[in-house]
Amino acid sequence: MTMHSFHRPSGRALAAVLMLTAAFAAQAQSSAATDPRGRWITANGNLEVELAPCGTALCGTVTKVLGNRSMAPGGGDMQPADGRPALGMTLLKDFTPVDATDPSRPPTEWAGQIYNRENGKTYSCNMSVSTTGNPAGELLLRAYVGLPLFGKTQRWVRAASDN
């Protein structure tokens, strides 16, 4: 009776496989963490916005109304210039990747428009996701007129999962 011997991988080979697996997992997590799609709570905590594909771009639609605080200093009750109900309103639209030249790398910044229902105006906007200080991520929205240099950045937090 012949016994077959199986070659066990060396410690180095096993370590290399584990490191490679960890690298792929980290990249997948990093890509997921910087993906802006999903639900976000606006900077003033008033609205939950679902960021999802709409055609070839990303758009953000209000899925829950959580409050009615103004973005102005003091944060009293907001008197929106737009009298339409917030629920179902599209606040973010036409967001496309800024640099999509390398299809093997996921985009890290998008450009589109943001609507401010408090004053009824639409602004140019750059969007990215930061995981610095918040593993769940923060949506950074830089609204501006003319040049981003003269804009204002809002930080939206990822909504808690309903699971």
Side-chain angles (χ1 to χ4, degrees), residues 37 43 62 77 92:
R37 292 175 294 179
V62 177
D77 281 350
L92 305 172

Side-chain angles (χ1 to χ4, degrees), residues 108-122:
T108 58
E109 187 175 357
W110 293 260
Q113 297 180 325
I114 186 169
Y115 178 70
N116 179 344
R117 66 188 195 99
E118 191 165 356
N119 66 13
K121 294 182 181 179
T122 299

Side-chain angles (χ1 to χ4, degrees), residues 122-143:
T122 299
Y123 299 92
S124 296
C125 186
N126 291 340
M127 172 177 71
S128 62
V129 178
S130 171
T131 55
T132 304
N134 184 347
E138 290 181 315
L139 191 65
L140 304 179
L141 297 159
R142 178 115 182 130

Side-chain angles (χ1 to χ4, degrees), residues 4 10 15 18 30 36 38 41 52 61 65 68 76 79-80 82-83 89 96 105 119 126 137 147 160:
H4 295 284
S10 71
L18 290 175
S30 174
I41 305 297
T61 305
V65 176
N68 191 41
Q79 302 301 318
D82 187 334
M89 187 179 283
T96 57
R105 292 183 48 191
N119 66 13
N126 291 340
L147 297 171

Side-chain angles (χ1 to χ4, degrees), residues 9-87:
S10 71
R12 282 187 191 169
L14 187 57
V17 168
L18 290 175
M19 285 178 56
L20 191 58
T21 303
F24 282 126
Q27 180 167 355
Q29 271 187 332
S30 174
S31 295
T34 59
D35 186 345
R37 292 175 294 179
R39 293 178 300 123
W40 298 91
I41 305 297
T42 57
N44 58 7
N46 285 342
L47 305 171
E48 180 179 284
V49 176
E50 175 80 25
L51 197 55
C54 59
T56 60
L58 293 175
C59 296
T61 305
V62 177
T63 55
K64 285 185 188 174
V65 176
L66 306 169
N68 191 41
R69 291 180 295 281
S70 173
M71 291 191 303
D77 281 350
M78 178 179 44
Q79 302 301 318
D82 187 334
R84 296 177 294 159
L87 190 63

